[in-house]
Every structure is written in structure tokens, then in C-alpha cells.
């Protein structure tokens, strides 16, 4: 297994670590979850970069890289539905319908890839999908900052509250709508561009 594929596989393990740490309950666990998520997201950047630079692109990578992304992102969005946002009077950090839209899109695209694989066709990620992934990473990171900045203090001064308390809620909401919009747009575009795969089965 080459280095890019190892990085892809590591993202599956980091997703499990992220979920365990997020709900662990030890001091600064949310901040630790943010660090783990950033590291996992960086593996997505480097596996593709290394694969292209060293000409190590494989069918395994084309299939598993986007799958690893989907598992990481969906796990985070589903986890956020169970969190109460202190800035929204205890309402959910992420509206449930947004999580449903995101997860449904990822399942639909995964189903399309499986159908294509059954026909010996490997569908690689497209540009719109990469923009979607970036928007989701930003959204998840913003939500993590929102729930973990109360943990950040120095010498008894809640500097996290002073720095992030005002702009983070607004930025988080904007990032959520952006992620959902790009998720729907990129999913529809991907289904349209590869429509021959499922239409010919009718």
C-alpha cells in the first residue's frame, strides 16, 4: 500500500478517535477533538497531493479517498445534532434537517459509485465535490470552535470568550448554509454528469 492510500486509511482511524474524544468528557476534550479533526482533514489534502505529484493514483485511492471523507464529515454532522448550542438558547448546534440533507447526499453518491464499480467503472471525485468538502471542513471546524472556545482560558482570563464569543456564532451559521448549499449543488451536478450509469439500468 502506497503512502497516499495509507493516509486515506488513517482517516478512518482518526474518525473513530475524533468521535471518542468529542464525547469523552475529560477536560478540554472538545479542543482535542478539534485538533484530531484538523489532522484528519490534512490527511485528505496530503493524500491527493502526494498521489498526483508522485503519480501514485490508484483505483483504491479513487474509491476509498472520497469514502473516508464522507465517513468523517457525516460522523461530525450527526454528532452536532446531539449538541445544544449555548448561543441558541439550548437549541441544536446543527439543525437536524441539515444533517439529513448532507448524509442523504453522501449516501446517494456512494450508491452511485457502488453501481459504477459493479460495472467496472471507477468514479473519481470532481471539482465541485472538492469545493463541497472544503466548505464542510470549514463548517465543522467553526462548530467545533463554537463549542470548545469556553475551554480556552489563560491565567483565569476567558480570552476564548472575548475573541470568539461574538463572531463565531454568526460565522458558524453562514458556514452551515454554505456547506448545505454546496452539498446539494455538487451532489446534483455529480448525479447529472454520471446519469448514464443509472439511467441505462431502467
Amino acid at each position: 500500500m502506497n503512502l497516499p492510500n495509507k493516509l486515506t486509511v488513517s482517516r478512518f482511524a482518526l474518525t473513530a478517535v475524533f468521535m471518542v474524544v468529542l464525547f469523552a468528557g475529560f477536560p478540554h476534550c472538545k479542543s482535542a477533538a478539534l485538533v484530531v479533526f484538523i489532522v484528519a482533514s490534512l490527511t485528505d489534502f496530503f493524500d491527493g497531493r502526494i498521489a498526483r505529484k508522485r503519480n501514485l493514483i490508484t483505483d483504491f485511492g479513487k474509491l476509498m479517498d472520497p469514502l473516508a471523507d464522507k465517513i468523517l464529515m457525516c460522523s461530525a454532522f450527526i454528532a452536532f445534532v446531539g449538541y445544544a448550542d449555548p448561543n441558541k438558547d439550548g437549541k441544536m448546534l446543527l439543525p437536524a434537517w441539515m444533517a439529513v440533507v448532507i448524509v442523504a447526499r453522501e449516501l446517494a453518491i456512494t450508491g452511485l459509485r457502488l453501481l459504477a464499480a459493479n460495472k467496472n467503472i471507477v468514479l473519481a471525485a470532481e471539482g465541485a465535490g472538492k469545493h463541497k468538502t472544503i466548505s464542510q471542513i470549514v463548517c465543522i471546524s467553526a462548530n467545533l470552535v463554537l463549542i470548545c472556545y469556553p475551554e480556552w482560558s489563560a491565567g483565569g482570563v476567558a480570552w476564548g470568550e472575548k475573541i470568539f464569543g461574538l463572531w463565531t456564532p454568526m460565522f458558524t451559521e453562514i458556514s452551515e448554509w454554505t456547506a448545505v448549499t454546496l452539498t446539494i449543488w455538487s451532489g446534483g451536478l455529480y448525479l447529472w454528469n454520471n446519469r448514464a450509469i443509472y439511467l441505462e439500468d431502467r
Side-chain angles (χ1 to χ4, degrees):
M1 181 177 291
N2 61 36
L3 178 58
N5 289 343
K6 288 179 180 178
L7 290 174
T8 296
V9 172
S10 74
R11 197 148 63 253
F12 289 105
L14 287 170
T15 299
V17 173
F18 166 73
M19 293 299 291
V20 170
V21 171
L22 183 62
F23 292 99
F26 59 79
H28 303 290
C29 66
K30 299 179 183 65
S31 298
L34 173 60
V35 173
V36 173
F37 177 77
I38 292 174
V39 172
S41 299
L42 287 175
T43 66
D44 180 32
F45 171 76
F46 283 111
D47 62 5
R49 186 183 181 92
I50 294 172
R52 289 187 296 270
K53 185 176 182 179
R54 301 183 183 178
N55 195 25
L56 297 174
I57 298 175
T58 63
D59 287 345
F60 178 89
K62 290 180 181 178
L63 183 63
M64 300 306 292
D65 178 45
L67 180 60
D69 294 340
K70 289 174 178 17
I71 291 177
L72 174 63
M73 303 304 164
C74 288
S75 296
F77 282 118
I78 292 172
F80 290 156
V81 174
Y83 261 99
D85 183 353
N87 298 285
K88 297 181 179 178
D89 299 323
K91 294 182 181 179
M92 289 179 294
L93 185 65
L94 180 79
W97 72 265
M98 286 188 174
V100 170
V101 168
I102 292 170
V103 173
R105 183 271 188 198
E106 304 302 358
L107 290 176
I109 299 304
T110 299
L112 176 62
R113 283 202 172 98
L114 291 174
L115 179 60
N118 190 52
K119 300 179 179 182
N120 297 317
I121 301 173
V122 178
L123 296 180
E126 296 183 350
K130 295 183 184 299
H131 295 316
K132 176 268 305 181
T133 299
I134 292 173
S135 73
Q136 290 182 351
I137 290 174
V138 172
C139 177
I140 293 169
S141 298
N143 275 282
L144 287 170
V145 169
L146 187 65
I147 63 177
C148 75
Y149 73 73
E151 298 178 343
W152 304 343
S153 61
V157 179
W159 57 270
E161 179 72 30
K162 293 180 180 180
I163 296 175
F164 296 98
L166 296 177
W167 67 270
T168 303
M170 180 179 65
F171 178 76
T172 299
E173 187 167 353
I174 293 173
S175 70
E176 289 175 352
W177 280 101
T178 301
V180 170
T181 300
L182 288 179
T183 295
I184 295 172
W185 173 69
S186 64
L189 187 63
Y190 200 82
L191 289 171
W192 174 256
N193 289 341
N194 297 285
R195 61 191 181 279
I197 294 175
Y198 55 86
L199 289 178
E200 66 183 23
D201 276 352
R202 290 184 175 181

